[in-house]
Amino acid sequence: MDEIDQKILKILMRDARISQKELAAKVGLSAPGVAERVRRLEERGVIRGFTIDVDPEALGYPLQAIVRIRPLPGKLHIVQQLISEIPEFGECDKVTGDDCFVARLYIRSMKELDGLLDQIVDKAETNTAIVKSKPVERRMPPLSPK
């Protein structure tokens, strides 16, 4: 990945809706040249997609919880399936250490949290923390030349 590809990525990370023409002007290429570079970045898997950033609170989910989940013996696959089927789990990572999963839940109330955790309590131990704030929003790793 050269410097121009890195510039393209930095600009797209700030504004994925930028036009090809505007992007081309910012990196000093023609619009077809930028389109080709973006296409190659997609083909190589560097760019996996273009998405939107939705505020969960605007959708009625004022609370978020980070849940560490440790399946009971023999229940790993069942718990993983349950997590994937509960739409309030916005993301989940399978991790090393004492817990097998660290997940983010979007919830409307503490009562809803209890109901969601009740669905897995007989199959896993959980440890839950309510998110107070996000001092660091999700961000990409630093771009560095190879």
Side-chain angles (χ1 to χ4, degrees):
M1 200 165 44
D2 65 13
E3 285 184 41
I4 294 174
D5 285 344
Q6 289 186 30
K7 283 182 186 177
I8 290 170
L9 287 175
K10 286 178 184 177
I11 293 166
L12 288 174
M13 282 189 267
R14 284 192 305 274
D15 181 9
R17 295 180 66 183
I18 191 170
S19 71
Q20 295 283 337
K21 182 179 176 183
E22 192 177 348
L23 180 58
K26 289 186 180 220
V27 299
L29 293 176
S30 67
V34 162
E36 176 62 21
R37 282 180 174 263
V38 170
R39 185 189 62 73
R40 280 187 291 177
L41 288 167
E42 288 176 297
E43 284 178 354
R44 292 192 344 243
V46 175
I47 296 176
R48 295 188 297 195
F50 297 88
T51 185
I52 60 172
D53 183 16
V54 177
D55 181 359
E57 203 165 334
L59 298 177
Y61 295 93
L63 300 171
Q64 294 180 36
I66 303 299
V67 185
R68 296 187 348 232
I69 304 164
R70 181 185 308 172
L72 298 174
K75 304 289 185 182
L76 177 78
H77 297 294
I78 294 168
V79 171
Q80 186 171 335
Q81 183 66 35
L82 277 171
I83 293 168
S84 70
E85 291 172 355
I86 297 172
E88 289 83 358
F89 278 108
E91 59 185 294
C92 180
D93 294 314
K94 194 171 189 180
V95 298
T96 61
D98 291 336
D99 304 309
C100 289
F101 303 103
V102 176
R104 180 177 296 269
L105 262 175
Y106 297 104
I107 52 175
R108 293 180 175 93
S109 66
M110 296 304 286
K111 184 176 180 178
E112 183 180 33
L113 173 64
D114 286 340
L116 292 168
L117 294 179
D118 283 348
Q119 294 179 48
I120 60 173
V121 74
D122 62 332
K123 297 164 193 67
E125 294 177 8
T126 63
N127 186 305
T128 304
I130 299 299
V131 176
K132 290 174 32 179
S133 68
K134 285 179 107 177
V136 177
E137 288 290 331
R138 174 174 283 199
R139 61 183 175 198
M140 301 304 303
L143 298 175
S144 59
K146 287 190 174 185

